[in-house]
Amino acid sequence: MPTATAIAHPNIALCKYWGKRDRALNLPSVGSLSLTLAPFSTTTTVEWGAARDEMVINGREASAEEARKVFAVLDLVDSWRPKVRVLTGNDFPTAAGLASSSSGFAALVLAACAAAGHPRTPEQLSVLARRGSGSAARSIFGGWAEWKVGERADGMDSHAFEIANEAHWDVRMVVAIFDAGPKAISSRDGMAVTQETSPYYPAWVASAPRDLAAGRAAVRNRDLDALGQVMERSALRMHACMMAADPPVFYWKSGSVWAQDAVRSLRERGIPCAWTMDAGPNVKVLVPTEHAELVARRLGAVADRVHVLEPGGPARLVG
Ligand code: 2P0
């Protein structure tokens, strides 16, 4: 029975994705830019030909909702596919403050296409991963990746590409955990209510391309001051937009604001660093490697836990 195993790392967006121009195809309203992060990873094995469709996550049977999303993506790999068995596991806790859906769908599509004998280019894999979860489009690539908004109605040009690989820049991402519990509202639902009700949504969509261009240039130039300004602006604009929705989509906790203050005061002391936040209260700080331990110690004074992550490689087959 054809079997393949793939590994992928999660990623954190520096210029954010929030909102969809097509919900069925999972097409974004704005382009985004991210850093793929090691050593955390998802490992997924796909057996192409099984007695029944079956999915196991970290040793437990997947919920009906989890399985539905995964098998819908496998239908796109091959609409005449046989029954398939999927075994997947993360080597990082679900409460680590990183989206396991980004590494999860990237590893899934790579393993599935290999097991099915349908090799695809990284861009085609990125399109497939996007259908499972938008941020997964970026985890196909290592290092610094950009996910293009695209123009085509069928979404085939809305995929990620590599801006620079994981060796490009000696930085770390310090992840400060302020709440390990499940989120109050999923990204998908949060995006929908923002898009439908936030008066700031059109302004968010209009402002994003400029930030993306500035972010891309800052990454290429290894300019942490410039990238930091873009990162914080993109995160603040995304959160301001969702906070203005009805009902509000509000992920911040008091610790999140404390961490933002700590980053500003470190910068005033001459430590180059900048924060970002996603659909949760945790704060992620980009910093040159030489200062990562100092930032981790400072955030560790208040955060529940701190992880120090490094740029990771692309999704890859391991068996
Ligand atoms: C991002 N986030 O760019 C943004 C910033 C969270 C905040 O992508 O609906 O799981 O599956 O496409 O990718 C999280 O949302 O959402 C996310 P879907 P996804 O990383």
Side-chain angles (χ1 to χ4, degrees), residues 2-206:
T3 298
T5 299
I7 289 186
H9 300 293
N11 71 76
I12 294 288
L14 312 174
C15 294
K16 301 300 189 183
Y17 148 57
W18 197 257
K20 302 177 200 256
R21 68 181 163 88
D22 184 315
R23 280 186 209 169
L25 294 177
N26 222 20
L27 293 173
S29 299
V30 300
S32 54
L33 188 159
S34 63
L35 178 59
T36 296
L37 292 166
F40 289 168
S41 65
T42 300
T43 302
T44 301
T45 298
V46 172
E47 294 172 19
W48 203 254
R52 62 182 177 96
D53 277 348
E54 184 189 359
M55 178 166 174
V56 176
I57 305 178
N58 292 328
R60 64 158 172 93
E61 185 88 11
S63 71
E65 176 61 13
E66 288 166 334
R68 188 192 58 74
K69 285 171 84 175
V70 162
F71 290 108
V73 170
L74 297 184
D75 290 342
L76 301 171
V77 172
D78 180 351
S79 54
W80 294 95
R81 70 172 176 84
K83 302 288 186 211
V84 174
R85 186 154 184 263
V86 179
L87 298 172
T88 187
N90 300 321
D91 65 5
F92 56 101
T94 353
L98 293 184
S100 54
S101 61
S102 63
S103 46
F105 280 101
L108 176 79
V109 299
L110 180 57
C113 290
H118 297 312
R120 300 247 197 345
T121 64
E123 289 75 19
Q124 290 169 329
L125 288 168
S126 179
V127 164
L128 276 173
R130 186 201 79 222
R131 295 290 295 271
S133 193
S135 51
R138 301 182 305 235
S139 272
I140 293 293
F141 297 91
W144 311 82
E146 178 178 333
W147 171 18
K148 293 192 296 176
V149 68
E151 289 171 2
R152 289 173 53 155
D154 67 4
M156 295 309 286
D157 58 352
S158 183
H159 56 74
F161 63 97
E162 185 187 280
I163 297 177
N165 72 19
E166 63 274 22
H168 171 68
W169 197 356
D170 191 12
V171 293
R172 293 291 181 268
M173 188 73 88
V174 179
V175 180
I177 308 297
F178 290 101
D179 184 356
K183 22 177 129 154
I185 177 167
S186 72
S187 298
R188 197 158 289 197
D189 292 346
M191 284 187 210
V193 69
T194 303
Q195 197 160 346
E196 283 156 18
T197 67
S198 176
Y200 304 156
Y201 186 72
W204 156 250
V205 173

Side-chain angles (χ1 to χ4, degrees), residues 247-276:
V249 181
F250 199 100
Y251 291 112
W252 294 23
K253 302 261 184 197
S254 53
S256 319
V257 179
W258 177 90
Q260 294 172 17
D261 269 346
V263 168
R264 268 188 296 272
S265 69
L266 282 164
R267 254 198 322 256
E268 280 160 14
R269 286 169 45 197
I271 310 292
C273 55
W275 62 268
T276 188

